[in-house]
Amino acid sequence: MNRAPLVARKMLQYPFARAYSSGVAAAVASAATSTVDGPHTRPVVKTAIPGPRSKALLEEMGKSLSTSQVAFFTDYEQSCGNYMVDADGNVLLDLLTQIGSLPLGYNHPAVMAAVSSSSALTPLVTRPSLAMFPPSSWPELVQSTLLPLAPRGLSEVTLMMCGTCANENAFKAAFINYMDVKREKPLTPDSEEYSSTMLNQPPGSPKLSILSFMGGFHGRALGTLSCTHSKPIHKLDIPAFDWPVALFPRLQYPLDQFVRENEMEEKRCLAEVEEKMEKAAKAGEPVAAIIIEPIQAEGGMWTETTFVNWLCEC
Ligand SMILES: Cc1ncc(COP(=O)(O)O)c(C=O)c1O
C-alpha cells in the first residue's frame, strides 16, 4: 500500500498542527491573556510558519527521525505562560496547551522552582529503582502529594510512567483479579498454568477480554491499541485482540432540551454493553474489565474523523 496519502491524511487529523501552521492560533489571540506574567502579551508573527529555521531543522531531523507530525520547532526557554515562541521567534498563543498536556503553561515559576529544588533534582539525577531502593522521603511524599488527589475510597497508589502504561497495567490487574476470584486453590510452580503460559496458551494465558467504546483513545501499546477506536490510522496493519467494542452515547445539547432523547440514547448504549458482555462470555472470552473515556475529545475537540467513524458504526 502506498503510505504517502495515509501520512498526509494523518497530518491533517492533527488540529493542533493545522491551527498553528495556518496561523489561526495567532490570529484569534488578541483578546486572550496569559496565565503567568511574562515577556509576551500578544502574538507576534514575523515569518511564515513553519519559518526558515524550522524548515532547516525539519530537514536535519528528517535524516534520523520521523518528521511527519512536526508542525514547527519550539524555543521552550523563550516560551512563557500561554505564549509559545517558535524557532523563528514567532510568538503564538497556545490555545490547546500543547496537546492538553501543559495546563499550567510554559515555564510556570512555581513549577520551575519546585523542579529546581534538590528534593526534585536528586531523584531525577540518581533515577533510583523505586520498587527496591526508595528514598527515605518516599512514603511521606506519596502520602502528601498523590493520595490527597485520589478518588474517594482509593487509598493505594501504583506509579506508572505514562497513561498507556497505567492502562496496560490496569488491564493486567483486572485479569489477575478475575483469575484469582475464579481459581479455587493457589497455584504451584509445577502446575499446567506455569508451563502453558510460557507458550502463550491457556490455562496459564487465559482467554479474557476488555470491553471498550467506539471513539475512545487509551494509548498505542498493543493492549491499549485494541481498546483505542478514535482513528483507523492508529491501528492499521497492527494485529489486535478481538475484544468487544460498544457504542458510546452521543448526547444532544443543550441537555435540558433533549432529556428524553438522551435517556433513550444512554439506554440503547447500555443495552449494547450488556449484550456484548453476554456474547463474550458465551464465546469463552469473558469481559474482565471495561475501559471508558468519559469525555471523548482530542485537545478539547471531538474531531471530524472520530465523528465519521462513529457514524459509520451506527
Ligand atoms: C484518554 C487518554 N488515555 C490514554 C492516553 C495515553 O497516554 P500517554 O500518551 O501518556 O501514554 C491518552 C493520551 O493522549 C489519553 O488522552
Side-chain angles (χ1 to χ4, degrees):
M1 190 198 305
N2 179 2
R3 283 276 177 173
L6 279 182
V7 171
R9 265 206 330 260
K10 188 169 165 187
M11 287 181 77
L12 283 174
Q13 284 162 357
Y14 283 83
F16 168 82
R18 273 187 292 165
Y20 279 120
S21 53
S22 64
V24 172
V28 296
S30 52
T33 53
S34 170
T35 51
V36 176
D37 287 339
H40 315 299
T41 52
R42 64 185 181 82
V44 181
V45 179
K46 299 176 183 168
T47 70
I49 298 170
R53 180 145 168 72
S54 266
K55 281 190 179 155
L57 287 165
L58 200 64
E59 203 180 319
E60 189 56 30
M61 184 170 146
K63 293 176 190 164
S64 51
L65 290 162
S66 164
T67 55
S68 64
Q69 294 187 29
V70 175
F72 53 78
F73 285 80
T74 306
D75 186 338
Y76 284 105
E77 286 182 5
Q78 296 303 319
S79 302
C80 190
N82 296 125
Y83 287 99
M84 181 182 212
V85 179
D86 78 0
D88 290 275
N90 297 299
V91 179
L92 304 167
L93 179 63
D94 184 349
L95 293 171
L96 300 177
T97 62
Q98 293 270 311
I99 51 167
S101 53
L102 195 71
L104 297 181
Y106 296 92
N107 290 313
H108 192 292
V111 178
M112 296 294 279
V115 173
S116 313
S117 68
S118 65
S119 58
L121 278 178
T122 305
L124 273 176
V125 172
T126 49
R127 290 185 47 75
S129 166
L130 291 171
M132 298 182 78
F133 312 111
S136 39
S137 58
W138 196 234
E140 200 279 322
L141 195 64
V142 170
Q143 277 158 22
S144 63
T145 54
L146 294 176
L147 281 175
L149 305 174
R152 202 175 307 153
L154 298 186
S155 56
E156 292 175 28
V157 175
T158 300
L159 294 163
M160 293 289 151
M161 282 293 283
C162 64
T164 306
C165 313
N167 287 339
E168 290 281 341
N169 281 277
F171 293 178
K172 285 161 65 179
F175 292 142
I176 291 169
N177 183 61
Y178 187 98
M179 293 310 289
D180 269 353
V181 170
K182 191 175 164 199
R183 196 174 283 129
E184 282 165 8
K185 52 181 179 14
L187 286 181
T188 53
D190 60 354
S191 64
E192 199 190 345
E193 276 86 348
Y194 269 68
S195 51
S196 58
T197 199
M198 293 306 283
L199 296 167
N200 304 333
Q201 297 299 314
S205 299
K207 297 254 178 251
L208 295 173
S209 60
I210 307 278
L211 183 141
S212 55
F213 291 85
M214 193 51 68
F217 182 90
H218 300 293
R220 303 182 200 205
L222 284 180
T224 45
L225 196 57
S226 291
C227 295
T228 284
H229 315 282
S230 47
K231 291 176 191 153
I233 194 76
H234 294 152
K235 298 167 68 73
L236 215 56
D237 295 342
I238 300 165
F241 289 109
D242 186 12
W243 289 344
V245 188
L247 287 181
F248 189 79
R250 189 81 171 128
L251 301 186
Q252 298 183 62
Y253 297 88
L255 292 177
D256 58 358
Q257 286 175 26
F258 292 97
V259 175
R260 220 175 66 82
E261 288 84 349
N262 289 341
E263 265 175 23
M264 280 169 54
E265 171 67 352
E266 287 184 342
K267 263 194 196 144
R268 178 178 83 103
C269 293
L270 279 172
E272 205 206 9
V273 169
E274 280 180 27
E275 185 197 313
K276 298 247 160 160
M277 287 182 71
E278 278 167 21
K279 206 170 149 197
K282 271 194 200 136
E285 206 162 346
V287 172
I290 294 177
I291 185 162
I292 186 161
E293 187 181 8
I295 303 174
Q296 291 184 349
E298 185 172 294
M301 290 171 292
W302 184 299
T303 61
E304 317 89 86
T305 34
T306 313
F307 185 56
V308 169
N309 293 344
W310 182 83
L311 282 178
C312 293
E313 286 299 316
C314 290

